[in-house]
Amino acid sequence: MSEDRMKVIASQTRYVSGLPVASGAAGGDPGPYTALGIYLGVKAAAQRGLGTTDMKGVRVAIQGVGSVGGGLARLLAKDGAVLTLADVDEGRAQKLAGELGATAVAAEAILTTEADIFSPNALGAILTEMSIAALKAKVVAGGANNQLSVREDGARLHARGILYAPDYVINAGGIINVGLEYLGHGDEAEVKARIARIPERLIEVWNESDRTGQPASDVSDSIAKRLIGR
């Protein structure tokens, strides 16, 4: 969905966000804001799961290099991360890899790539019993929605000692942006200030997971339910 397409939809209903906005206002394409939040979350996950505050030399395998995954790759490349990229559009992955000095692999190879962090930013349901068993990363942190094929896959990650950043926590940057646009308050500074809190939310999840022994995915669901009063 482009901003121009959202304008067409907005001609038929007012229940629309992600529209072009004046400079400095909340709204517009949520992709870059999603990528920013994931970038901050990946760095938090690297500190928690790898014990490093410096992304230089950290191996990150990125699945999907569209608006979000591509934005994440560019931000991580500036930090000196060692990137392996994959996309169903192999040409897009190869082009970005050439731009960033990264490596491109076939889409079916990215899940088993030797990496410190696996970052899913394409379709959902890619973390399954089989794929989790084959993962070679210590951390999973990416923006794809509904990454777990079934709820039990969160427990499988936990059992393997793989640090997991629950998808709807780490990828909240885009909805923060368009949510503030829809509510009619907040500017870009407010959006970025709220996105900057994503690592705090992840740390809250991981701390409770450590304390209770529950998978991070289950903990984030419990926190979400508490926040909405269920």
Coordinates of all heavy atoms in Angstrom, one line a residue, residues 131-178:
S131 N 11.7 -25.5 11.7 CA 12.6 -24.4 11.4 C 13.3 -23.9 12.7 O 14.5 -23.5 12.7 CB 11.8 -23.2 10.8 OG 10.9 -22.6 11.7
I132 N 12.6 -24.0 13.8 CA 13.3 -23.7 15.1 C 14.4 -24.6 15.4 O 15.5 -24.2 15.9 CB 12.2 -23.6 16.2 CG1 11.3 -22.4 16.0 CG2 12.9 -23.5 17.6 CD1 10.1 -22.4 16.9
A133 N 14.2 -25.9 15.2 CA 15.2 -26.9 15.4 C 16.4 -26.6 14.5 O 17.6 -27.0 14.9 CB 14.7 -28.3 15.1
A134 N 16.2 -26.0 13.3 CA 17.3 -25.8 12.4 C 18.0 -24.5 12.6 O 19.0 -24.2 12.0 CB 16.8 -25.9 11.0
L135 N 17.4 -23.6 13.4 CA 18.0 -22.2 13.6 C 19.4 -22.3 14.1 O 19.7 -23.1 15.0 CB 17.1 -21.4 14.5 CG 15.9 -20.7 13.9 CD1 15.1 -20.0 15.0 CD2 16.3 -19.7 12.8
K136 N 20.3 -21.5 13.6 CA 21.7 -21.4 14.1 C 22.0 -20.1 14.8 O 23.1 -19.8 15.1 CB 22.6 -21.7 13.0 CG 22.5 -23.0 12.3 CD 23.4 -23.2 11.1 CE 23.2 -24.6 10.5 NZ 24.0 -24.8 9.3
A137 N 20.9 -19.3 15.0 CA 21.1 -18.0 15.7 C 20.8 -18.1 17.2 O 20.0 -19.0 17.6 CB 20.2 -17.0 15.0
K138 N 21.3 -17.2 17.9 CA 21.0 -17.1 19.4 C 19.9 -16.2 19.7 O 19.3 -16.2 20.8 CB 22.3 -16.6 20.1 CG 23.5 -17.6 20.0 CD 24.7 -17.0 20.7 CE 25.9 -17.9 20.6 NZ 27.1 -17.3 21.3
V139 N 19.5 -15.4 18.7 CA 18.5 -14.4 18.9 C 17.5 -14.3 17.7 O 18.0 -14.4 16.6 CB 19.1 -13.0 19.1 CG1 18.0 -11.9 19.1 CG2 20.0 -12.9 20.3
V140 N 16.2 -14.2 17.9 CA 15.3 -13.9 16.9 C 14.6 -12.6 17.1 O 14.0 -12.4 18.2 CB 14.2 -15.1 16.8 CG1 13.1 -14.7 15.8 CG2 14.8 -16.4 16.4
A141 N 14.8 -11.7 16.2 CA 14.2 -10.3 16.4 C 14.0 -9.7 15.1 O 14.9 -9.3 14.4 CB 15.2 -9.4 17.2
G142 N 12.7 -9.6 14.7 CA 12.3 -9.0 13.4 C 10.9 -8.6 13.4 O 10.1 -8.7 14.4
G143 N 10.5 -8.0 12.3 CA 9.3 -7.3 12.2 C 8.1 -8.0 11.6 O 7.0 -7.5 11.5
A144 N 8.3 -9.2 11.1 CA 7.2 -10.0 10.5 C 6.1 -10.2 11.5 O 6.3 -10.3 12.7 CB 7.6 -11.3 10.0
N145 N 4.8 -10.1 11.1 CA 3.7 -10.4 11.9 C 3.4 -11.9 12.1 O 3.7 -12.6 11.2 CB 2.4 -9.7 11.4 CG 2.5 -8.2 11.4 OD1 2.8 -7.6 12.4 ND2 2.1 -7.6 10.3
N146 N 3.0 -12.3 13.3 CA 2.6 -13.7 13.5 C 3.7 -14.6 13.2 O 3.5 -15.6 12.4 CB 1.3 -14.0 12.7 CG 0.2 -13.0 13.0 OD1 -0.1 -12.7 14.2 ND2 -0.5 -12.5 12.0
Q147 N 4.8 -14.4 13.7 CA 6.0 -15.2 13.4 C 5.9 -16.7 13.8 O 6.4 -17.6 13.2 CB 7.3 -14.6 14.0 CG 7.6 -13.2 13.4 CD 8.7 -12.5 14.2 OE1 9.5 -13.1 14.9 NE2 8.7 -11.2 14.1
L148 N 5.2 -16.9 15.0 CA 5.1 -18.2 15.5 C 4.0 -19.0 14.7 O 2.9 -18.4 14.6 CB 4.8 -18.2 17.0 CG 5.7 -17.5 17.9 CD1 5.2 -17.5 19.3 CD2 7.1 -18.1 17.8
S149 N 4.3 -20.1 14.2 CA 3.2 -20.9 13.5 C 2.1 -21.3 14.4 O 0.9 -21.2 14.1 CB 3.8 -22.1 12.8 OG 2.9 -22.9 12.2
V150 N 2.5 -21.8 15.6 CA 1.5 -22.1 16.7 C 2.1 -21.6 18.0 O 3.3 -21.3 18.1 CB 1.2 -23.6 16.8 CG1 0.5 -24.1 15.5 CG2 2.5 -24.4 17.0
R151 N 1.2 -21.5 19.0 CA 1.7 -20.9 20.3 C 2.9 -21.7 20.9 O 3.8 -21.1 21.4 CB 0.5 -20.9 21.3 CG 0.9 -20.3 22.6 CD -0.3 -20.3 23.6 NE 0.1 -19.8 24.9 CZ -0.7 -19.6 25.9 NH1 -2.0 -19.9 25.7 NH2 -0.3 -19.2 27.1
E152 N 2.9 -23.0 20.7 CA 3.9 -23.8 21.3 C 5.3 -23.5 20.7 O 6.3 -23.9 21.4 CB 3.6 -25.3 21.0 CG 2.4 -25.8 21.8 CD 1.0 -25.4 21.3 OE1 1.0 -24.9 20.1 OE2 0.0 -25.5 22.0
D153 N 5.3 -22.9 19.6 CA 6.7 -22.5 19.0 C 7.4 -21.5 19.9 O 8.6 -21.5 19.9 CB 6.5 -22.0 17.6 CG 6.0 -23.1 16.7 OD1 6.5 -24.2 16.8 OD2 5.2 -22.8 15.8
G154 N 6.7 -20.7 20.6 CA 7.4 -19.8 21.6 C 8.1 -20.6 22.7 O 9.2 -20.3 23.0
A155 N 7.5 -21.7 23.1 CA 8.1 -22.5 24.1 C 9.3 -23.3 23.5 O 10.3 -23.5 24.2 CB 7.1 -23.5 24.7
R156 N 9.2 -23.6 22.2 CA 10.3 -24.3 21.6 C 11.5 -23.4 21.5 O 12.7 -23.8 21.7 CB 9.9 -24.8 20.2 CG 8.9 -25.9 20.2 CD 8.6 -26.4 18.8 NE 7.6 -27.5 18.9 CZ 6.3 -27.4 18.6 NH1 5.8 -26.3 18.2 NH2 5.5 -28.5 18.8
L157 N 11.3 -22.1 21.2 CA 12.4 -21.2 21.2 C 13.0 -21.0 22.6 O 14.3 -21.1 22.7 CB 12.0 -19.8 20.7 CG 11.6 -19.6 19.2 CD1 10.9 -18.3 19.0 CD2 12.9 -19.7 18.4
H158 N 12.2 -20.9 23.5 CA 12.6 -20.8 24.9 C 13.4 -22.0 25.4 O 14.5 -21.9 26.0 CB 11.4 -20.6 25.8 CG 11.7 -20.3 27.2 ND1 12.2 -19.1 27.6 CD2 11.6 -21.1 28.4 CE1 12.3 -19.1 29.0 NE2 12.0 -20.3 29.4
A159 N 12.9 -23.2 25.0 CA 13.6 -24.4 25.4 C 15.0 -24.5 24.8 O 15.9 -25.1 25.4 CB 12.8 -25.6 25.0
R160 N 15.2 -23.9 23.6 CA 16.5 -24.0 23.0 C 17.4 -22.8 23.5 O 18.6 -22.7 23.0 CB 16.3 -23.8 21.4 CG 15.9 -25.1 20.7 CD 16.4 -25.0 19.2 NE 17.8 -24.9 19.2 CZ 18.5 -24.5 18.1 NH1 17.8 -24.2 17.0 NH2 19.8 -24.4 18.1
G161 N 16.9 -22.0 24.3 CA 17.7 -20.9 24.8 C 17.9 -19.8 23.8 O 18.8 -19.0 23.9
I162 N 17.0 -19.7 22.9 CA 17.0 -18.6 21.8 C 16.2 -17.4 22.4 O 15.0 -17.6 22.7 CB 16.5 -19.1 20.5 CG1 17.4 -20.2 19.9 CG2 16.4 -17.9 19.5 CD1 16.8 -20.9 18.7
L163 N 16.9 -16.3 22.5 CA 16.2 -15.1 22.9 C 15.2 -14.6 21.8 O 15.6 -14.4 20.7 CB 17.2 -13.9 23.2 CG 16.6 -12.7 23.8 CD1 16.1 -12.9 25.2 CD2 17.6 -11.5 23.7
Y164 N 13.9 -14.4 22.2 CA 12.9 -14.0 21.2 C 12.3 -12.7 21.6 O 12.0 -12.4 22.7 CB 11.8 -15.1 21.2 CG 10.7 -14.8 20.3 CD1 10.9 -14.5 18.9 CD2 9.3 -14.7 20.7 CE1 9.9 -14.2 18.1 CE2 8.3 -14.4 19.9 CZ 8.6 -14.2 18.5 OH 7.5 -13.9 17.7
A165 N 12.3 -11.8 20.6 CA 11.6 -10.5 20.7 C 10.2 -10.6 20.1 O 10.1 -10.7 18.9 CB 12.4 -9.4 20.0
P166 N 9.2 -10.7 21.0 CA 7.8 -10.9 20.4 C 7.5 -9.9 19.3 O 7.8 -8.7 19.5 CB 7.0 -10.7 21.7 CG 7.9 -11.2 22.8 CD 9.2 -10.7 22.4
D167 N 6.9 -10.4 18.3 CA 6.7 -9.6 17.1 C 6.0 -8.3 17.3 O 6.4 -7.2 16.8 CB 6.1 -10.4 15.9 CG 4.9 -11.2 16.4 OD1 4.4 -11.0 17.5 OD2 4.5 -12.2 15.7
Y168 N 4.8 -8.3 18.0 CA 4.0 -7.1 18.1 C 4.6 -6.1 19.1 O 4.1 -5.0 19.2 CB 2.6 -7.4 18.4 CG 2.3 -8.2 19.7 CD1 2.3 -7.6 20.9 CD2 2.1 -9.6 19.6 CE1 2.1 -8.3 22.1 CE2 1.9 -10.3 20.8 CZ 1.9 -9.7 22.0 OH 1.7 -10.4 23.2
V169 N 5.6 -6.5 19.8 CA 6.3 -5.6 20.7 C 7.4 -4.9 19.9 O 7.5 -3.6 19.9 CB 7.0 -6.3 21.9 CG1 7.7 -5.3 22.8 CG2 5.9 -7.1 22.7
I170 N 8.3 -5.6 19.2 CA 9.4 -5.0 18.5 C 8.9 -4.3 17.2 O 9.6 -3.3 16.8 CB 10.4 -6.1 18.1 CG1 11.7 -5.4 17.7 CG2 9.9 -7.1 17.1 CD1 12.9 -6.4 17.5
N171 N 7.8 -4.7 16.6 CA 7.4 -4.0 15.3 C 6.4 -2.9 15.5 O 5.7 -2.5 14.6 CB 7.0 -5.0 14.3 CG 5.6 -5.6 14.6 OD1 4.8 -5.2 15.5 ND2 5.2 -6.7 13.9
A172 N 6.3 -2.4 16.7 CA 5.2 -1.4 17.0 C 5.4 0.0 16.5 O 4.5 0.8 16.5 CB 5.0 -1.3 18.6
G173 N 6.6 0.2 15.9 CA 6.9 1.6 15.5 C 5.9 2.1 14.5 O 5.5 3.3 14.5
G174 N 5.5 1.3 13.5 CA 4.6 1.8 12.5 C 3.2 2.1 13.0 O 2.6 3.1 12.6
I175 N 2.7 1.2 13.9 CA 1.4 1.5 14.4 C 1.4 2.6 15.4 O 0.4 3.4 15.5 CB 0.8 0.2 15.0 CG1 -0.7 0.3 15.2 CG2 1.4 -0.1 16.3 CD1 -1.5 0.4 13.9
I176 N 2.5 2.9 16.1 CA 2.6 4.1 16.9 C 2.5 5.3 16.0 O 1.7 6.2 16.4 CB 4.0 4.1 17.6 CG1 4.0 3.0 18.8 CG2 4.3 5.5 18.2 CD1 5.3 2.8 19.4
N177 N 3.1 5.3 14.9 CA 3.1 6.4 14.0 C 1.7 6.7 13.4 O 1.1 7.8 13.6 CB 4.1 6.2 12.8 CG 4.1 7.4 11.8 OD1 4.2 8.5 12.2 ND2 3.9 7.0 10.6
V178 N 1.1 5.7 12.8 CA -0.2 5.9 12.2 C -1.3 6.0 13.3 O -2.4 6.6 13.1 CB -0.6 4.8 11.2 CG1 0.4 4.9 10.0 CG2 -0.6 3.4 11.8

